[in-house]
Amino acid sequence: MTELESEVLPLPPRYRFRDLLLGDQSFQSDDRVQVEFYVNENTFKERLKLFFIKNQRSSLRIRLFNFSLKLLTCLLYIVRVLLDNPEEGIGCWECEKQNYTAFNQSTNINWSHIFWVDRKTPLWAVQVSIALISFLETMLLTYLSYKGNIWEQIFRISFILEMINTVPFIITIFWPPLRNLFIPVFLNCWLAKYALENMINDLHRAIQRTQSAMFNQVLILICTLLCLVFTGTCGIQHLERAGEKLSLFKSFYFCIVTFSTVGYGDVTPKIWPSQLLVVIMICVALVVLPLQFEELVYLWMERQKSGGNYSRHRAQTEKHVVLCVSSLKIDLLMDFLNEFYAHPRLQDYYVVILCPTEMDIQVRRVLQIPLWSQRVIYLQGSALKDQDLMRAKMDNGEACFILSSRNEVDRTAADHQTILRAWAVKDFAPNCPLYVQILKPENKFHVKFADHVVCEEECKYAMLALNCVCPATSTLITLLVHTSRGQEGQESPEQWQRMYGRCSGNEVYHIRMGDSKFFMEYEGKSFTYAAFHAHKKYGVCLIGIRREENKSILLNPGPRHIMAASDTCFYINITKEENSAFIFKQEEKQKKKGFAGSYDGPSRLPVHSIIASMGTVAMDLQNTECRPANSSKLALPAENGSGTRRPSIAPVLELADTSSLLPCDLLSDQSEDEMTQSDEEGSAVLEYVKGYPPNSPYIGSSPTLCHLLPEKAPFCCLRLDKGCKHNSFEDAKAYGFKNKLIIVSAETAGNGLYNFIVPLRAYYRSRKELNPIVLLLDNKQVLLQGPEHHFLEAICCFPMVYYMEGTIDNLDSLLQCGIIYADNLVVVDKESTMSAEEDYMADAKTIVNVQTMFRLFPSLSIITELTHPSNMRFMQFRAKDSYSLALSKLEKRERENGSNLAFMFRLPFAAGRVFSISMLDTLLYQSFVKDYMITITRLLLGLDTTPGSGYLCAMKITEDDLWIRTYGRLFQKLCSSSAEIPIGIYRTESHMFATSEPHDIRAQSQISINVEDCEDTKDVKEHWGIKTSHHRNSCSSDQSEHPLLRRKSMQWARRLSRKGNKHSSKTAEWISQQRLSLYRRSERQELSELVKNRMKHLGLPTTGYDEMNDHQNTLSYVLINPPPDTRLELNDIVYLIRSDPLAHVANDGHSRKSSCSNKLGSGNPETRDETQL
């Protein structure tokens, strides 16, 4: 290397600056080589090919010119025929002419009439010019498209036709006698058809727009028919020159009659050449037309599958939304269409469905109904293809709904597909609003750019968690997010069905306060004052507001919030204010009378008249003293020396009084009470702290202040059924929990379970009411390795949260996790069973297992999630119960009447015992009209915690609270004392489901106790501060109070179910029921012995299993925003929106205690029976 480097001499100094400016000329001339690319495309042939064939625009011009020439030649042929007069003589050019009439009657064919025509010289010159141009163009294109096989070019039909129509004209230039020779120029119509097809293809390439293949095929078919008719007309007219002279019109008439298979016979060919031509044309038509029709039918079928296009003109003049799904099922489609078109202003919208799969048979049948066929367009295509998005006119759409396929076995893969669809739509149409449904919470942050996102597992687990502390929360939310007019069940003789159906029509609406007749008069007043008086006067329930300068929605911001005209009010009502009429009946009369008394009994007056007589004038302002903190009753005012004075309720103040109106501060008082209790008991209780969970299992979870452990629990201590070095407990009894357990049966430890734990450990729940949570995980990976590390890291900071491996169909697993000490069992739908060969069989295993648990543990409250809502009719299934059959017929009748909530009268749904996440699909659909619904739902479920916004809780009406009497007075009591807003009632009534005649109510009740509960399921059991025996007695008293109502109910049930003859033998029926009762008792004893034997085998004491803990049959239902004159009943559970305690932390401790004493109940919505295990 050194030698080589030494041989290279440095450049002289005089060259250096010049080389920088001019470069080394010798180097360029000697070593550099100029390379030219694409040399083959610079040849003369390639340039011609580029101009005539490859370039779309120039090729389009050439084909358009060629098409025009062919049409011109056909037109010149018609002109020649019209100018031809055979009577003047026939023959070659400048030859002696023969008379046409001389051979008219001859039986021999005069071929000269066929071979020679009379062609004028100017016409000949024009035809020759056109033929010469066509010949040169044809030869040039043949040369350019030559690929090595000359015979392939020569024997093409288009080339042969060109030669027939051009070469004879060129010959006549050199041989003039042939200028009158007949040349079949009318055959150029076929060349014109061929040129038109090529022109359309080039047109699509040039403008970069794909036209429908159906349009192309229809155009080709029409052109084929025209060419056949034109060819037959011209050919027959010319050949009949030698026979019976026919004009062009008569020839055209003959061809139409012949090809239409009519065949009148008034015009027929006379000589055999024309007859032969007719035969040939018919044969050609029989071959060509079926092929064209077959292609057309095939394209039509394919178009039916793919759905065609949504026209650009329609997209620009009419509004449409696009629904993107992986696979479209009939249930999903009907839920979307019914909910979407339930809103009056969406009636003119079109729905374009974009789905990659072929249309299902059931879906096709539904879309053929005129109601939907005019408004729904199905397109088979993928959202990842711009062409399919262009077909759906996504860029002009009002919205795009992207739904996940929840029936997929791999839900993560389904989410990945949803994410890609959302990205593709956002890339193609960035201005189109996106409404995305995602399944797993860890995938939610990928679609945060969407306008509205609903995470299925977040909502599902939060709703199931609230079901454990606020019964039937799932039913409450489902009814709120469904569009209904409240007309369901109004024709039923059952009082509870009419009331339940009427209240189900309540929905959430919004209006600007300055524009509202409901709330305008309360400007400058407190929120609590406006809520109470709006409910008193109009029957609407104000639940939240949104400031103009702040986009956050606040549920029940409390009495300190002063209403402003610019506030947006959110309220619950049957319909929105814009659709309401205001009729003020008897208002002036009431003012004259001056109501100062009390309200006694139900009234038939209008709602605002009833509320006006609630005793708001007779008030005891001094009766605001503290009540015991552990009381769960509504404070009964003292009687001021007058033993006969009726208790009254304090007024709702226009402005908050800081000395007496403050919600409880749950950050201090609860802990003090709990520490005092622990000191009295003398037992060491682990202290909890309030804070935000340090670890979240996924990105995008909303931070919530919760009860936490001071230090994270070791992972080994989270396993319930296995001891470790920190403790030796191996079953639920050994832990000695004071409160009853909540067991969650899930397939895997998914991140969604985090949202089940957080609402149950939220800071606003009392420490004394925290229930231990046991996760029963059905996965072999849990048995071998345990849940994933990040999940354990997220839950180890929460108190009393455990997990174990097991299934609900394994009795040993249930007993080990403490099912006999549990208050609620939540059965979550398993991902592996969501897909089945028969769709509706996906819930079969879950339903059967739950029914088994109902029989083994009849006192257990089981909340079940199903894949398909239609399967809820199999929960608490009674094959021979007339009342259940009557409810089934009622559901069918409501479905026929067009109800979107036909399943609402099923007892498990009404009681909140069964839930399907597909019911919440309407939440996403409603967001198109109500963009606040997702936010309000998340606030109610506790998924989001906005500072200053309240939360959903519940309280129970006990015997000491019945002095309030009506829901309207309860509304006033809550607003005046603790600033809580009630939104509904969960009511439980005793009911009998037996099939016999109600001749003996007590005997019937006894049979119901012994038979029915054992036969099917455990009925509703509540633990809201009352003992089991007390609850049984209360049910019995209710039963004795209303025998007539139940008698009517059973008569109605028998009438609808049409069960046999009404006059059947009562004795035989009574004997059969006694036998059935004995049989069921023995069956129950067998089940009891089975459970006890397994408990003994596992080393568990059997004292906790109460095999005789049966209850009378009950039915429960939800009343959303009931009328103010609704009578309160014992054991009613009232849904409340309680204001945020953190909004008042800055107040002193004295005000906190005084406010807490004014609260209707403690932070605990229920006082559970403490069970020392």
Side-chain angles (χ1 to χ4, degrees), residues 172-204:
T172 58
I173 299 176
F174 307 102
W175 194 359
L178 297 180
R179 291 180 182 179
N180 283 344
L181 181 66
F182 169 74
I183 301 173
V185 183
F186 57 83
L187 295 179
N188 277 334
C189 64
W190 297 97
L191 297 176
K193 169 181 171 293
Y194 178 72
L196 180 62
E197 295 177 11
N198 294 332
M199 185 177 64
I200 293 176
N201 294 333
D202 288 338
L203 179 64
H204 294 164

Side-chain angles (χ1 to χ4, degrees), residues 890-958:
L890 176 62
E891 177 182 352
K892 295 175 183 177
R893 186 165 62 247
E894 293 295 337
R895 185 179 291 109
E896 292 174 357
N897 293 336
S899 172
N900 299 340
L901 293 167
F903 54 80
M904 62 176 291
F905 293 103
R906 290 289 182 176
L907 297 182
F909 172 78
R913 300 303 179 193
V914 65
F915 168 71
S916 176
I917 190 59
S918 62
M919 298 176 186
L920 282 188
D921 288 346
T922 56
L923 176 61
L924 190 66
Y925 311 152
Q926 272 207 1
S927 299
F928 181 64
V929 177
K930 306 175 183 178
D931 57 355
Y932 48 84
M933 278 305 300
I934 295 178
T935 303
I936 290 179
T937 303
R938 292 180 64 87
L939 289 174
L940 289 174
L941 296 179
L943 291 171
D944 293 337
T945 53
T946 303
S949 178
Y951 59 93
L952 181 66
C953 60
M955 60 165 289
K956 188 166 186 175
I957 301 298
T958 62

Side-chain angles (χ1 to χ4, degrees), residues 318-337:
E318 299 170 348
K319 297 180 179 180
H320 75 285
V321 298
V322 183
L323 176 64
C324 296
V325 291
S326 297
S327 59
L328 187 63
K329 300 296 183 182
I330 186 63
D331 294 336
L332 175 65
L333 176 64
M334 295 312 300
D335 287 343
F336 179 84
L337 294 180

Side-chain angles (χ1 to χ4, degrees), residues 70 119 123-140 159 161-183 185:
K70 303 308 176 187
R119 185 178 288 115
L123 182 61
W124 169 81
V126 175
Q127 287 184 323
V128 168
S129 301
I130 295 176
L132 189 60
I133 295 173
S134 299
F135 178 78
L136 294 176
E137 180 191 6
T138 302
M139 299 306 295
L140 179 60
F159 183 81
L161 290 178
E162 284 285 358
M163 295 300 104
I164 292 176
N165 291 317
T166 57
V167 172
F169 279 110
I170 297 174
I171 294 176
T172 58
I173 299 176
F174 307 102
W175 194 359
L178 297 180
R179 291 180 182 179
N180 283 344
L181 181 66
F182 169 74
I183 301 173
V185 183

Side-chain angles (χ1 to χ4, degrees), residues 338 341 347 366 368-376:
N338 290 330
Y341 285 112
Q347 298 303 313
V366 168
Q368 289 175 351
I369 300 175
L371 176 63
W372 306 122
S373 62
Q374 305 298 327
R375 298 190 285 185
V376 182

